[in-house]
Amino acid sequence: MRPSKLFALLFGSLVQASQNPLTTYSTTLVDLLSADSDYTQLLRLLQRTRLIPTLNKLEGSTFFAPTNDAIQRYSLWNDYLSFPESELTDNVNERIRQTLFYHILNYTLPSFPPTGGVEIYRTLHFPRIPVEPPSGDPPPAPPWVPLPGGSLNDESQRLRAAVREGKAYVSVDAFGEQGIPTAKDPVSGTNCMLIGIHEVIEPPSSLANIIRGNPALSYLTNILPEAQMKALEITPGLTVFLPENKAWNRLPRVVRLYLESQFSNADLKWIVGMHAAAGKLGYTTRLKDATKIRTIEGNKLQINATADTITVAGSELRQRDVYASNGVLHTVSDLLLPPGSLRPNAEKYLLALNCSTFVELLRSSNLTSLVTDVDAEYTILAPRDDVLEITGGSFPDEGTDELKRSLKYHFIPGRWTTDRLKDGSLLETELVEVGLAGGRQVLDVGVSTTISSKPGKDGRKELYFGGAGVIGDPIEIENSLIYFISHSIEYISALRNGTDRTFRTIEGTDVGVSRQDNDDRGVDVVVTGSGGWDGLHAKLDLNSKANTLTETGVLHQIDTLMIPRSVQITLGNLVRAAGGGTMASLVTRAGLEWVLNGTAPPEDSEYAKLGEGIGWTLLVPRDEAWKEVNLTALWEDPKAVRNLVTQHLIPTFPPSKDDKKDRNKGGKKPRDRLGALVDADENNMPLNMNGETHVTARSSFSSYGQISFHDKGDHYVVGITGARGTKAEEDWAKVMVWGRSTVSTGKRGQYSAKGGVIKIDRVLQPYTPKWWIQYGPPAAGVSAVVLTIVALGFTVRWLYKRRESEPTYEPVGRDEEEDG
């Protein structure tokens, strides 16, 4: 029935009723309610909401009437009846009225219960967005007649009824299931019918609330932003066809990850718009075969209907005609999107896979075209947010040309899958160098295969780009490929010039020059600076490189770089200079980032108990050395990370005058000898490597925590003290280069130890001996002692028995002598 006709019918009935009073022979709904004691509470509600005149003026009506017990169980109505009249503002009454109107039809049913399946009725409930909080405005004069309008585009809310197993139900779903059973047989009056029901019929809620409460739409509920849910709550007259959970499960995993991220709001809004239509409500009774529905986003959904099924854009309609206060909901088996429309680019994948910092840097450098073009073919080397957070990030400052060049260095044209990568190969990057005559800068690739623990199975392939290890498996995105790397790839554009120094330096500090007589070498000119570490000095080359005159002054060559106090070189700086990004990531992963920062350990740390002035030396395997290590498995095992890092971390205490004994051979508090410090300083070593043994941070909880250095003539080697290897010299690591830190945790007296970094060519894996090695010698010793004791016992016993068994002899003639 059209809204205008409904209004005319209601208005006409009221006018006619006012001209023709009811006769004494008519029986109204109020009469029927008054005649049954089960409806006393319902009558009170009608009186409080001032709907008695409305019921009396209806020319035809059907009332699904909740009994007293039903109202008692329905808290909204039951509480309303207990409120004083003075507290009932009109908007409170309005809410109760609208609920009551959902129980009333403005026509009399010819028969009830239904006989032809599910029957659909139009109630007097016209949903509207409620005013919150209720206002104090005076209500209009009764009788209250429902007027067309509201959030269903001038349509009233619908109600269904059906019969199951001989019992009538109202408020059933489209298939006649669920619903509220009737409590009494229908009673007819003059142009009216009264049907008692067991429960109050709750008017349908908004689309947003219905979606939240629908288990088949739980995935959509979880990913939709609150703003989109709000739109589904307040937008009137919507017909929505929403995909059920299984439809989303058929999407690729990375697509779902993106949709689940905080960066997909715009795409989710578009997806919902592709599944929603405004205007005339799309009830299934109106979904005729071959009709088309235009969605909010402008696409058309083709309807195909048969006697048994209805499909929308080829997707099967599952849940049908779920009534809502602002529309109608249908669920479908698939997403209603054109082929290829949900095609996320590399940018969306990176955002979904926790690389938002990398994407933001690309945006700030106007390089988004590298990740937004779905047809472009790139191999993308991306550090994740957690990796950058742990390592502190090593990209240049935002807005600089250096950052733009560094980011381009992380893109390799083409799709380089793991089977195409060869160890030692050089791949051209997106970075074009002017100094290479317009050619592309290259990036080295490292490939190694670990030995599988299972016979007959291939080992895991470990990959490296520019020294950065690959974490996990690559992500394939149509034409592109993403590798997650253990740290950003540092790009050095050019060598940096040093600084000339004189007595008063441009840097602002002084250098000291002293002349010292040396019996062996004659005269030494020693230059000392303001910074660096204790004992740092340089000597002038007095033979060939002294007093070199220039147009602007004189140039001297010294044998050591001088460091001013304004330059703070931390272990983190040295690790980056040594190309040890992987080791830096592991140090931070182990919770020892303070070592890299040059700060004191946390007060509650076990290392804080060692005191002040502690220096730390870190053995840093070159990034190529990690080819033999399963970085993915190591990263996921915090205990293994800590064991490995502490095996490479050497604490050094500052010397003191009472250090008369060498305490560097063990214990939890190692101290270098004063003489060893002097030797190390002369060679700019962070610690003495001339055949010395040092304890590590692992020594406090492992018998194999110490490490030993050996001088091989042209190089040093280092290994784990007491470890029994199987590859002879291959079990040692070769010392490649070293550097000292200028930062210390403080001073102890006049001394401080500042440590440094020693770069080695292989990883020192923490050593744990086999059980027969660990327990074999003690067991053999105990067995030998036991056998010795047993043998000694048998020997003593044998000697004792032998003595007892020997015959004794009396001297000849003894009797005669005694007789005489």
Side-chain angles (χ1 to χ4, degrees), residues 333-365:
S333 59
D334 293 290
L335 276 76
L336 309 181
L337 300 175
S341 60
L342 196 60
R343 188 184 178 190
N345 52 33
E347 181 185 48
K348 295 178 180 178
Y349 276 77
L350 289 170
L351 291 172
L353 298 171
N354 198 26
C355 296
S356 59
T357 302
F358 184 66
V359 172
E360 289 299 329
L361 292 174
L362 291 171
R363 291 174 176 174
S364 68
S365 302

Side-chain angles (χ1 to χ4, degrees), residues 320-551:
R320 305 179 182 182
D321 292 332
V322 180
Y323 299 148
S325 62
N326 59 327
V328 61
L329 165 70
H330 308 279
T331 66
V332 290
S333 59
D334 293 290
L335 276 76
L336 309 181
L337 300 175
S341 60
L342 196 60
R343 188 184 178 190
N345 52 33
E347 181 185 48
K348 295 178 180 178
Y349 276 77
L350 289 170
L351 291 172
L353 298 171
N354 198 26
C355 296
S356 59
T357 302
F358 184 66
V359 172
E360 289 299 329
L361 292 174
L362 291 171
R363 291 174 176 174
S364 68
S365 302
N366 296 321
L367 294 176
T368 53
S369 59
L370 295 174
V371 290
T372 55
D373 186 356
V374 294
D375 296 319
E377 291 190 3
Y378 282 111
T379 297
I380 305 172
L381 311 177
R384 295 188 312 200
D385 292 345
D386 54 347
V387 171
L388 291 177
E389 183 178 355
I390 289 175
T391 60
S394 57
F395 283 106
D397 294 336
E398 289 190 33
T400 62
D401 186 63
E402 287 80 2
L403 174 61
K404 193 170 186 178
R405 294 160 64 85
S406 178
L407 291 171
K408 287 184 176 180
Y409 200 48
H410 288 72
F411 287 81
I412 303 172
R415 200 166 181 271
W416 289 88
T417 55
T418 56
D419 58 322
R420 295 182 60 194
L421 298 174
K422 306 298 180 183
D423 187 39
S425 59
L426 298 175
L427 302 181
E428 291 186 342
T429 67
E430 187 63 17
L431 178 59
V432 177
E433 290 281 25
V434 177
L436 297 177
R440 296 179 182 273
Q441 186 60 269
V442 296
L443 184 66
D444 62 298
V445 177
V447 181
S448 65
T449 303
T450 58
I451 300 175
S452 175
S453 58
K454 297 181 179 179
K457 296 218 172 178
D458 296 333
R460 178 181 175 83
K461 182 182 286 188
E462 299 290 339
L463 303 175
Y464 296 83
F465 292 95
V470 173
I471 300 176
D473 297 323
I475 302 296
E476 299 185 13
I477 311 173
E478 296 189 7
N479 298 324
S480 295
L481 202 63
I482 298 176
Y483 288 94
F484 299 111
I485 52 178
S486 59
H487 60 83
S488 58
I489 303 173
E490 186 173 2
Y491 171 71
I492 303 176
S493 59
L495 296 177
R496 304 185 185 275
N497 295 324
T499 303
D500 293 335
R501 290 173 172 81
T502 181
F503 293 95
R504 182 68 177 178
T505 66
I506 299 175
E507 181 267 342
T509 57
D510 296 333
V511 293
V513 179
S514 62
R515 183 184 180 93
Q516 301 175 2
D517 293 330
N518 189 299
D519 296 337
D520 298 331
R521 299 185 297 270
V523 177
D524 287 335
V525 178
V526 180
V527 181
T528 57
S530 61
W533 50 86
D534 297 335
L536 174 63
H537 62 270
K539 296 178 182 179
L540 264 63
D541 186 347
L542 300 178
N543 296 323
S544 59
K545 300 296 182 181
N547 300 325
T548 302
L549 300 179
T550 68
E551 293 181 352

